[in-house]
Amino acid sequence: MHVTKLRPTAALIRSALGLLFFLSLSLFQGVQAQVGTQRVAGRVLGEDNKPLGGVSVKIVGTDRGTVTTDDGTFALLLKAGDKVEFSSLGFGSKTITYNSQKSLDVSLTATVGSQLDGVVVTGFQTIDKKKFTGSSVNLKADEIRQPGVVDVSRMLEGRAAGVSVQNVSSTFGSAPKVRIRGATSINGDNKPLWVVDGVVLEDIINISNDQLSSGDPTTLLGSSVAGINSNDIETFDILKDAAATALYGARAMNGVIVITTKKGRSGKTSVNYTGNFTTQLKPMYSEYNIMNSAQQMSVLGELDRKGILTPNILSGANYGVYGKMYDYINTPDANGNFRLINTTEAKAAFLKGYAATNTDWFDLLFKNSLVQEHNISISSGSEKSQSFFSTSLYSDNGWTIADKVKRYTLNFRNNYKFSDKLSAGFLTTASVRQQNAPGALSRVSNPVSGQYDRDFDINPFSYALNSSRTLTAFDANGNREYFRRNYAPFNILTELENNRLKINVIDLKLQGDLSYKFSKHLRYEFIGALRYVKSTREHEITENANMANAYRAADNATMRASNQFLYRDPDNPAAEPVVVLPYGGFYNRAEDQLLNFDFRNSLNYNTTFKDKHDLTVLVGQQVKLTDRQTSSNTGYGYQYDNGGIPFVDYRILKQTIEASFPYYGMSKDFDRFAAFYSNVSYTFDRKYNINVTGRYDGSNRLGASPSARWLPTWTVSGSWNIDQEKFMESARWIDYLKLRGSYGLTASFGPATNSEIVLRSATTNRTIPTDRESVIQLANLENADLTWEKNYQGNIGLDANLFKNRVNMSVDVYNRKSFDLISQIKTPGIGGETYKAANYADMSSHGIDVLIGGTIIKRRDWSWKANITFGYNTTKITNVKNIPLIFDLIQAQGGNTEGYPVNSLFSVQYAGLNHYTGVPQFVAGTYKGGGDSLAADVYFQDQDISHLKYEGSVDPKYTGGINNTFTYKAFSVNIFMTYQAGNKIRLYPAFRTSYSDFDAMPKEFIDRWVMPGDELKTNVPSVVDAYQRYLISGQGAQPYNTYNYSTARVASGDFIRVKNVSLTYNLGSAMLKKWHMNSFAITGVANNPWLIYSDKKLKGQDPEFFNTGGVAQPIQKQFVISLKAGF
Amino acid sequence: MKKIFLYSSCGLLLMATGCSKFLDKEPDNRAKLSTPEKVSQFLATSYPQANYQGFTETMSDNVEDIGNGGTDLEVSDPYRWLDSRQNQQDSPEFYWQSCYAAIAVTNEALETIAEAGNTTAYKTQRGEALVSRAYAHFMLVSLFSKFYDSATAATDPGIPYVLESEKVVIKQYQRNTVKYVYEMIEKDLVEGLPLLEDKNYSVPKFHWNRAAANAFAARFYLYKGNYAKVIQYASESIPGGAYGPNLRGWNDLTSPYNTITDVTELFKVYSKSTEAANLLLVETSSIWARWFYTERYGVGQAKQTEVYPSTDPLTGGPVAYKRYSISNGSHQLIPKIDEYFVRASVNANFGQPYVMVPLFTVEDVLFNHAEALYYTGNVTGAIALLNTYASRRITNYNATTYNITLAKINTVFPVVATDLGTKRLPSVIQAILAYKRADFVHEGMRWFDVLRYKIQVVHNLKTGGSAVENITLTPNDLRRAIQLPLSALQAGLELNKR
């Protein structure tokens, strides 16, 4: 590519500096003629005196050259006066004039902030950075790899300006919220496109923006890169503007992250081992805002006095200590003795015992586990063929007692050069994942009460935060102690053993590429890939699980009447509900499959004429096919302890069917994609670059109608290498200066697929099962104007290297106008569909990306390098006609409405506590219950949002990172901090109208309203008494849940976090030689050790984490020992 | 070199043509109307799946301000004949949307059938689609336009009669006239009805079975004032005038209405498909089953006495309705509207409420038949039908004691004294309407008679203490035509005058 006489093939990896140096030499020195060549051997070393393999060694002005072996050595025939150029990706290049010395030892320095060196890999092309006109960030995996962090998407946090990564959950397999330059779409995807070795990485299942933080079991398949071994990665190229992503056309709207994996190198076979040994700290109550058992017991005492904790709770769904007390008082043992006599003294003594327990649920449910990661890679090859093999094991035996992960990966890559014309490569990657997680059901949004409901949630983290510390896991004799949840005995330890989720994922990719050079100018390239992913999620709920026992809880008539898990026969409504799961538990299974083919053919024409004009033309074609299948099945009555025989009571199926639920399901999804693309780039005099790209995409995602199928996209961009100008020669402190500009149209799929009418099968909702029919429903009318979501992006950027490459910086300013976005619009409904999804919404965003890096101090023995990234982004929805409900806007993940940023958080306006009751009050606008200006709550499904207060966006405006590396001889220390600011966070919903003796309460409750007058001093509402509770629930009001969504429960999302601190020791070359090693390094790392700043109102709540239960976990504090050895 | 370009461009061209087939694949599991059976499945959704009972009942003279109970806008706005501010379940706008959703289904089905060449294989499907299209428009024009009046129908604004699928996001429509809409309804109905065959339905009671379609035709011609046709279609709906055994057996000691003692179960009986009196049922998304006896505007003690007294004034016999009262007797009800609650997930305590609504019943046909007989001069025939009806409503019915005669009718319903509004109705018609009013209480059917006979409606408003204020809906009140959804302006429609 870009082959010219002056820069033969290997010039691809030659750095900008090298080229400059060469030019000056050849201009001023001319060519000296000398006779007598001799074989000269040499060695190339890196800064830390590590031998550098794979360095290109070239005699300038000739075709002759070689590549260093892995021990850094090379041999070449030279004659005095030959100018020898050494260059390697990621290192500055050096040209040395050979002066007949016996050996030639050279040291190369790693370039700081490699962004301005080498090449940009777009997945379609590999372009010399000097000719590149787009905005991109090139990150070397070696530099940003964080031992202990497995998911590669999390490694990008704070590393590239404009890329924000929010760890909404840290459970293995779940994806962080990644945004490149913020959101571009309101209802569609906002996540970037991942590309691995030129092939788009398709998601197994598409997780929507909202689902990402839901804690649902499907989120464990949310990270498309979870199967990638980070040690196999060579570089990341983050493509940010229209020019950089141009060749992704209709999928480029959200930016592209290109991963390039390692290749084999010719030379000596090298073996590398990396081992990471991680331990995680248990969370501690001191970090959180939860009452200890004595404080909790005093609140329970108040509840008792207020008539909430009466013996009636025995027939309720949940109870804790008080329930147990009443149970002991009421139930005689076999001898007719009561375990507790009903006297005030006895009761007080009983309660006092529990008041002192102070159970540490974190200690019981979490472990200081050991995570091991082993990785071996072997690289070998000759000029004709190279191979790279790597395999890894990741084994995490669990931060909590319920989770566990094992992942195995394989990466095998071979490149062959059959002749000067023909070369080919084959790549096989595979990963297998086996994961255990606490059993979890999907959460269900309940717009009535304004809550998310998740039945049988046993997430250890949220259990520890939400369960009273007066409860105990073991009784005085060391036996498991049970309280009641869902009408059945409950002990979290027992439940986690008996209710578990098992996830298996097999991910296999076969990829091949072929390249044929027709001539010096014309090259044909083919790339093809097949990927198959199969995942199963088995939810095993044994007969001993609380979830199974809840179906059998029918102790007395009250319980039978209220237990919703019992069966009510619709043919006999007067009959008492009965148990329909007499034996066994559940075996629920969900499967997801993905089959993906991707083929690409392209022709590349490249020529240089008159030494000043450089022209490259690329024409290509692509076909992609993705089939997805997802299925689920509920297995009733599986008897785990009884030989695995299912016992199915026919009535449990009858119950499911009568409730209009199928007990299994399967759905398929087909993605067909074809595209034609062309790119022309022209460089004049190495100074001026112009680049034009056009692409024509076709997809079936909008529906089968041919009218909406095709979309042309285009980009125009240019750059000016100012440093090459004559007038810059005097400014010697400027090594590199480039001004870039780009403008173009990119697109993305919206969430609508109705370019033709959409019909879906359904079952009618009729009372009597025999009346039901399988019917076909009109889901969406045809929308003949349906098209893709589109975006015009403009970008202006400046890149500079200053002071002999000591400092590099890059600034980008961008503006994006999204249009044709899909949003809901209310129509007159005469066509038959009132709320339609249509391409009419607009939004705009703009921002700045800044990167500054440099070597601040450089001495013989020590150095200090620093790197700062800063990204600013704001979005504004300029046109949308959707009609959000209050509930849509007040939730933690934010909502969308015109005139506000994407994912805006709104609050109900809190208006103080009621003087007489301490119940919170709100500014309610036109409350449907009456005209009062202050109301007990608001109706969450109200469309009148005028009285809500806008808080801010939940997406941060400012994001970035600060990295510092200090090196002293063989030691180096790295401190990496990330920050974000400008967003708002909804605090955990801690308040409820009714509490049971099972619940934990936050410490705020100490300051709660207790008597009239307190409302002047506190904003913490009262604990309501039984009568008040009766009144409130009689009105159907929910003041306490409204309080959770009020202005009183919002915090700022600003934070600064020390993400990573590490200390590395590199073994010296003498020792290495002695031990026959190429390299050896040992690193100690602390991940997430310190949250330096966050809003005080958060009181321990992680500003990134959504505590939604299910399978979600916050990011952990980890300590890692990492070993690296190369042979 | 040239060759290479030639080959590659040929290759690209081939791929381009292959592409269109490749991209024809549907993106997900979606249904296609490929066979007559599938069109049938599709037409199962061509019935308006919304409930009109709530707002029509509340606008009628069947209800009063009880002084306590719920004040949901879906009920309190219609009670005051205000343009409804709600657009969710049980609101006029929701009903409007559902009617047009049903119409969209019929048009898509008819287009599919036309594409398949209108073959005989699609005969019954075509019939069902045409009758459904007629019915949904019939309900819309009855509720959202001025009620059909042959004198003014040619100028009264109708509602858009939609005959083709909508293919753009916002399309422009015209209201046309009530006369036009009635002509179109008649055209679809007359064309569709003969094509129907009961044997093609898996659940006939939820589809246009012949009895139901004829009942619809009878009602349509009654509204239009074509009484001969009413008699013709009523006779086809209930062949041989076999009303007696098919009427709801309120007084039948062996029927579920009397064998079931548990009221919660009794609720479920009324709209069962096994009930012979129900000719056509539809499942609707509705909260009416909770509201009809808990909202502030409903049947109170006074209205119960007026609408369904315990002693029938005409026969003097005891009426067999199961009557209940709740909230200390302030709210009166007959257990007939039942809720089917579909939970959001298996164990969720929230979800969607549904109500099965009987759209056509044997009683409805009987009353329409009787009216038509009266207007065509067959007074004896009309009174005979009333006697048949009474035989299924009076407890321990005795044909001699409880026989209804013209004399009794004239005494109980004199033309002057109990004048229903300003229009003076003949005594026999008054008798029919009174029975009908009681029979369909809570079901909103009364509103259509209020419209048809321009009956004046007075609603009381309790404004605290004992103060009562009355509001009146006069016979020619413009508010009798429910206001179109405001969004109809987008489609270029004019709103109703106020």
Side-chain angles (χ1 to χ4, degrees), chain A residues 470-517:
Chain A
T470 59
L471 305 175
T472 48
F474 297 98
D475 64 15
N477 305 323
N479 298 319
R480 294 247 169 109
E481 184 163 12
Y482 292 82
F483 292 90
R484 185 195 280 173
R485 235 168 98 168
N486 305 305
Y487 303 100
F490 185 88
N491 177 303
I492 184 72
L493 301 172
T494 309
E495 194 59 15
L496 288 171
E497 286 161 10
N498 288 287
N499 185 348
R500 61 204 169 230
L501 203 56
K502 290 185 175 174
I503 293 132
N504 286 287
V505 184
I506 301 171
D507 189 336
L508 177 72
K509 183 172 89 162
L510 305 174
Q511 185 173 334
D513 57 70
L514 187 82
S515 163
Y516 186 79
K517 259 186 198 167

Side-chain angles (χ1 to χ4, degrees), chain A residues 475-679:
Chain A
D475 64 15
N477 305 323
N479 298 319
R480 294 247 169 109
E481 184 163 12
Y482 292 82
F483 292 90
R484 185 195 280 173
R485 235 168 98 168
N486 305 305
Y487 303 100
F490 185 88
N491 177 303
I492 184 72
L493 301 172
T494 309
E495 194 59 15
L496 288 171
E497 286 161 10
N498 288 287
N499 185 348
R500 61 204 169 230
L501 203 56
K502 290 185 175 174
I503 293 132
N504 286 287
V505 184
I506 301 171
D507 189 336
L508 177 72
K509 183 172 89 162
L510 305 174
Q511 185 173 334
D513 57 70
L514 187 82
S515 163
Y516 186 79
K517 259 186 198 167
F518 290 103
S519 72
K520 209 161 63 177
H521 301 297
L522 184 69
R523 197 171 66 248
Y524 163 78
E525 279 181 354
F526 164 82
I527 184 163
L530 175 158
R531 183 158 165 248
Y532 179 73
V533 187
K534 184 167 177 141
S535 76
T536 54
R537 275 174 285 142
E538 294 165 288
H539 189 179
E540 297 184 349
I541 302 147
T542 75
E543 49 269 55
N544 303 318
N546 170 265
M547 181 167 166
N549 285 324
Y551 279 81
R552 294 191 268 274
D555 294 358
N556 53 54
T558 337
M559 195 187 276
R560 284 192 288 272
S562 50
N563 184 354
Q564 69 210 34
F565 305 109
L566 301 183
Y567 174 59
R568 287 153 181 81
D569 188 352
D571 297 330
N572 189 6
E576 202 169 40
V578 289
V579 172
V580 286
L581 189 76
Y583 305 99
F586 296 86
Y587 175 70
N588 300 344
R589 197 179 154 90
E591 279 189 14
D592 290 285
Q593 272 181 50
L594 170 104
L595 179 66
N596 171 223
F597 290 96
D598 194 339
F599 298 104
R600 213 163 70 196
N601 294 287
S602 62
L603 283 169
N604 196 319
Y605 179 78
N606 181 296
T607 185
T608 304
F609 46 97
K610 290 182 183 166
D611 208 28
K612 282 194 168 179
H613 308 275
D614 191 5
L615 179 74
T616 305
V617 179
L618 171 76
V619 184
Q621 165 274 342
Q622 181 177 17
V623 175
K624 197 163 64 65
L625 172 156
T626 312
D627 286 353
R628 292 183 180 84
Q629 178 176 331
T630 175
S631 64
S632 65
N633 192 11
T634 314
Y636 296 104
Y638 190 86
Q639 303 180 86
Y640 290 84
D641 291 349
N642 204 0
I645 304 299
F647 180 96
V648 188
D649 187 320
Y650 77 95
R651 289 172 302 182
I652 197 160
L653 285 174
K654 192 164 176 268
Q655 177 185 32
T656 323
I657 294 160
E658 278 162 357
S660 283
F661 284 104
Y663 61 94
Y664 75 96
M666 191 273 279
S667 70
K668 290 184 179 183
D669 179 277
F670 308 98
D671 187 344
R672 301 285 181 275
F673 193 86
F676 303 91
Y677 54 89
S678 178
N679 168 269

Side-chain angles (χ1 to χ4, degrees), chain A residues 53-84:
Chain A
V55 177
S56 152
V57 185
K58 202 134 290 249
I59 305 170
V60 173
T62 71
D63 284 343
R64 288 192 293 129
T66 184
V67 176
T68 59
T69 56
D70 269 43
D71 57 359
T73 57
F74 69 96
L76 206 59
L77 289 172
L78 293 174
K79 57 182 186 288
D82 274 350
K83 285 178 284 292
V84 187

Side-chain angles (χ1 to χ4, degrees), chain A residues 38-41 78 80 96-105:
Chain A
Q38 57 185 57
R39 190 171 184 279
V40 181
L78 293 174
I96 286 176
T97 309
Y98 176 62
N99 291 325
S100 306
Q101 60 265 63
K102 286 212 162 145
S103 69
L104 208 55
D105 285 357

